[in-house]
């Protein structure tokens, strides 16, 4: 790979990582603080329209031999592979709701991280790739690090909530019992776990399937043509979900409360910003797969969890404990080890191209694996200390005035198919 291609790959992955963080924080602000009630599927549908328009614009700049309309009709006629992918995303949406009706959101969030391993597994099966022992170890370490990093965030949602009231003053509110929690208590845990694990296998498969179509398909359509196809195929899927959502809402209301469907109900300028971020995320994911691969894309979106939590702690006063800091270091270390686990460079000039942090890593595989096991071992006792401190603070809050903690809805572990139409991997969620 040339230095120019490497620079493009790194740039796209870094931008994707930050875009995912901004998107997640924007959704938290919109849903958790502003309490906006727009339909997720309407946001996704508008996002697909944006992708169609932008992809058509890019195709028009590249296609000079035939007219744009004629070429787009040709692209649509060859979109059967993207129709399959859109149907997989639709099935993942259904599995998402089945799983959350039968298991708790915390268990779902932890199990959903298996997509890190399923993506690598399908890259071996479908693309005949091979990974070194160090890379497999880093993927497992990344999975452990993300789970350890996410667990305090999940646990914090079980504590008393504090919200910003209309007067902009922080006030304590009792913990709400969500419909998902109630359903999980009454559901079938075996069915829920089977649904989320099936969803994770489909997530890994869809990522590699999209990469294989982009890089190995004999038709050799460019990334914008494939994005155009996938967005077009996703629109009927989201329209069906919108119709189903409206029907389910109507049957729960009395005849006097029922009202006709209005597209855009509950939208605001923040909603439009979230929609633009969702559309840009889909295009960035496709570019990251083109210039990198599906596993690197998964690493970039997973690493965004650390950035999101740091910004959330500073801006929205979200949780950031000592165990999260250690687990975050584990995530970063695993990503660096995976990315720069390559054969020894031939000369000093090539060696200088490796980032300084990567050059400090031990060269021997055994030492690298040992380094990956140290941080999780350190994080576990720290988590016990953090839990004891949180319990003490919770007891103090019960008899005191509101504490400066802002409630937000955690979207980092939501279904990666929920906003996956046109993303080629569906890790950007809403």
């Amino acid at each position: 790979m040339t230095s120019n291609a490497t620079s493009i790959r790194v740039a796209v992955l870094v931008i994707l990582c930050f875009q995912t963080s901004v998107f997640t924080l924007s959704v938290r602000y919109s849903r958790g603080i502003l309490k906006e009630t727009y339909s997720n599927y309407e946001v996704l549908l508008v996002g697909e329209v944006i992708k169609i328009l932008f992809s058509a614009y890019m195709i028009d700049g590249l296609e000079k031999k035939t007219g744009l309309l004629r070429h787009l009709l040709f692209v649509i006629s060859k979109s059967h592979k993207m129709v399959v992918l859109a149907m997989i995303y639709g099935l993942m949406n259904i599995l998402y709701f089945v799983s959350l009706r039968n298991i708790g959101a915390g268990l779902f969030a932890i199990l959903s991280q298996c997509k890190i391993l399923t993506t690598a597994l399908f890259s071996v099966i479908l693309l005949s790739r091979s990974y070194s022992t160090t890379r497999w170890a880093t993927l497992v370490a990344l999975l452990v690090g993300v789970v350890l990093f996410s667990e305090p965030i999940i646990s914090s949602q079980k504590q008393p909530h504090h919200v910003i009231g209309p007067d902009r003053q922080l006030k304590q509110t009792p913990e709400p019992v969500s419909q998902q929690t109630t359903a999980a208590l009454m559901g079938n845990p075996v069915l829920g776990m089977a649904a989320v694990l099936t969803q994770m296998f489909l997530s890994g498969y869809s990522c590699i399937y999209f990469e294989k179509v982009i890089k190995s398909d004999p038709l050799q359509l460019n990334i914008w043509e494939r994005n155009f196809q996938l967005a077009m195929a996703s629109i009927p899927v989201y329209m069906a979900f919108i119709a189903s959502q409206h029907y389910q809402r109507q049957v729960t209301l009395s005849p006097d409360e029922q009202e006709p469907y209005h597209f855009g109900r509950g939208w605001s300028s923040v909603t439009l910003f979230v929609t633009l971020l969702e559309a840009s995320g889909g295009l960035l994911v496709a570019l990251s797969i083109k210039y990198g691969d599906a596993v690197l894309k998964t690493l970039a979106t997973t690493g965004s969890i650390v950035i999101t939590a740091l910004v959330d702690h500073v801006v929205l006063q979200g949780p950031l404990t000592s165990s999260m800091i250690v687990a975050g270091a584990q995530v970063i270390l695993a990503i660096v080890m995976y990315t720069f686990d390559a054969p020894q460079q031939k000369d000093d000039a090539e060696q200088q191209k490796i980032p300084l942090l990567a050059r400090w890593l031990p060269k021997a595989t055994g030492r690298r694996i040992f380094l990956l096991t140290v941080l999780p071992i350190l994080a576990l006792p720290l988590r016990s200390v953090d839990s004891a401190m949180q319990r003490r603070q919770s007891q103090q809050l019960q008899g005191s005035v509101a504490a400066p903690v802002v409630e937000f809805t955690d979207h980092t572990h939501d279904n990666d198919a929920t906003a996956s139409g046109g993303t080629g991997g569906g890790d950007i969620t809403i």
Side-chain angles (χ1 to χ4, degrees), residues 328-350:
Q330 167 85 353
V331 171
I332 296 172
L333 178 65
I335 292 174
V336 172
M337 278 194 179
Y338 180 93
T339 305
F340 299 103
D341 176 53
Q344 294 295 316
Q345 305 300 321
K346 296 181 179 180
D347 51 46
D348 293 339
E350 290 294 324

Side-chain angles (χ1 to χ4, degrees), residues 121-129 204-206 208-209 212:
L121 177 63
F122 279 110
S123 71
V124 173
I125 297 173
L126 298 180
L127 301 178
S128 301
R129 286 188 181 138
Y205 175 80
S206 62
I208 303 303
Y209 176 87
K212 187 174 183 178

Side-chain angles (χ1 to χ4, degrees), residues 54-70:
F54 185 82
S55 297
Y57 172 78
M58 297 299 295
I59 293 170
D60 188 37
L62 297 173
E63 180 58 40
K64 300 298 184 183
K65 296 180 182 179
T66 61
L68 176 62
L69 181 58
R70 178 178 299 179

Side-chain angles (χ1 to χ4, degrees), residues 98 100-103 180-192:
V98 171
L100 283 181
R101 286 193 184 103
N102 291 278
I103 62 174
Q180 290 180 353
T181 302
T182 304
L185 293 173
M186 300 174 61
N188 185 338
V190 176
L191 176 62

Side-chain angles (χ1 to χ4, degrees), residues 4 57 61 93 97-98 137 164 209 213 289 324 344 351 353 373-374 377 383 406 409:
N4 186 39
Y57 172 78
N93 271 284
F97 289 109
V98 171
I164 296 181
Y209 176 87
V213 170
I289 292 178
M324 290 178 64
Q344 294 295 316
Q351 186 73 18
K353 294 180 180 180
T373 60
V374 171
I377 294 174
R383 178 59 189 138
V406 178
T409 304

Side-chain angles (χ1 to χ4, degrees), residues 261-276:
Y261 171 73
H262 295 291
F263 188 91
R265 185 192 303 274
W267 280 55
S268 68
S269 57
V270 177
T271 313
L272 292 174
F273 181 67
V274 169
T275 305
L276 290 173

Side-chain angles (χ1 to χ4, degrees), residues 49-303:
V49 174
I50 294 173
K51 294 173 194 175
I52 289 173
L53 296 176
F54 185 82
S55 297
Y57 172 78
M58 297 299 295
I59 293 170
D60 188 37
L62 297 173
E63 180 58 40
K64 300 298 184 183
K65 296 180 182 179
T66 61
L68 176 62
L69 181 58
R70 178 178 299 179
H71 185 71
L72 291 180
L73 291 175
F74 168 78
V75 169
I76 293 173
S77 69
K78 302 295 182 180
S79 60
H80 57 281
K81 292 185 177 180
M82 294 297 100
V83 171
V84 172
L85 194 56
M87 293 176 65
I88 292 175
Y89 290 149
L91 177 59
M92 289 168 64
N93 271 284
I94 296 173
L95 290 172
Y96 166 72
F97 289 109
V98 171
S99 60
L100 283 181
R101 286 193 184 103
N102 291 278
I103 62 174
L107 180 59
F108 172 85
I110 292 173
L111 291 176
S112 67
Q113 299 309 320
C114 293
K115 66 187 176 186
I116 298 171
L117 297 179
T118 58
T119 303
L121 177 63
F122 279 110
S123 71
V124 173
I125 297 173
L126 298 180
L127 301 178
S128 301
R129 286 188 181 138
S130 60
Y131 295 99
S132 66
T133 303
T134 300
R135 283 198 163 179
W136 280 113
T138 55
L139 290 176
V140 174
L142 179 63
L143 172 62
V144 173
V146 171
V147 171
L148 290 175
F149 188 86
S150 306
E151 195 273 335
I153 299 176
I154 299 169
S155 299
S156 69
Q157 295 179 355
K158 300 176 184 178
Q159 305 297 329
H161 291 268
H162 301 80
V163 301
I164 296 181
D167 55 356
R168 310 303 299 167
Q169 297 297 315
L170 291 157
K171 51 188 68 177
Q172 185 172 347
T173 62
E175 179 187 3
V177 179
S178 66
Q179 293 179 352
Q180 290 180 353
T181 302
T182 304
L185 293 173
M186 300 174 61
N188 185 338
V190 176
L191 176 62
M193 292 185 66
V196 68
L197 291 176
T198 303
Q199 182 192 349
M200 290 310 102
F201 274 97
L202 287 175
S203 174
Y205 175 80
S206 62
C207 287
I208 303 303
Y209 176 87
F210 187 69
E211 180 180 355
K212 187 174 183 178
V213 170
I214 290 177
K215 297 181 177 179
S216 306
D217 188 72
L219 198 57
Q220 288 297 300
L221 296 178
N222 63 49
I223 190 65
W224 306 115
E225 292 166 333
R226 289 301 184 187
N227 264 293
F228 182 87
Q229 290 177 333
L230 187 52
M232 288 290 294
S234 298
I235 283 182
V237 175
Y238 290 129
M239 291 180 66
F241 278 116
I242 290 173
S244 175
Q245 191 179 60
H246 177 66
Y247 172 77
Q248 292 177 2
R249 184 184 298 114
Q250 291 295 91
V251 297
T252 59
L253 300 175
S254 65
D256 295 336
E257 295 174 324
Q258 292 180 0
E259 54 187 11
Y261 171 73
H262 295 291
F263 188 91
R265 185 192 303 274
W267 280 55
S268 68
S269 57
V270 177
T271 313
L272 292 174
F273 181 67
V274 169
T275 305
L276 290 173
L277 285 174
E278 188 279 324
S280 64
L283 299 174
L284 282 171
V285 167
L287 287 173
S288 68
I289 292 178
K290 174 179 173 59
Y291 291 104
D293 58 55
V295 176
L296 284 174
K297 182 270 302 179
T298 303
L299 263 63
T301 52
T302 301

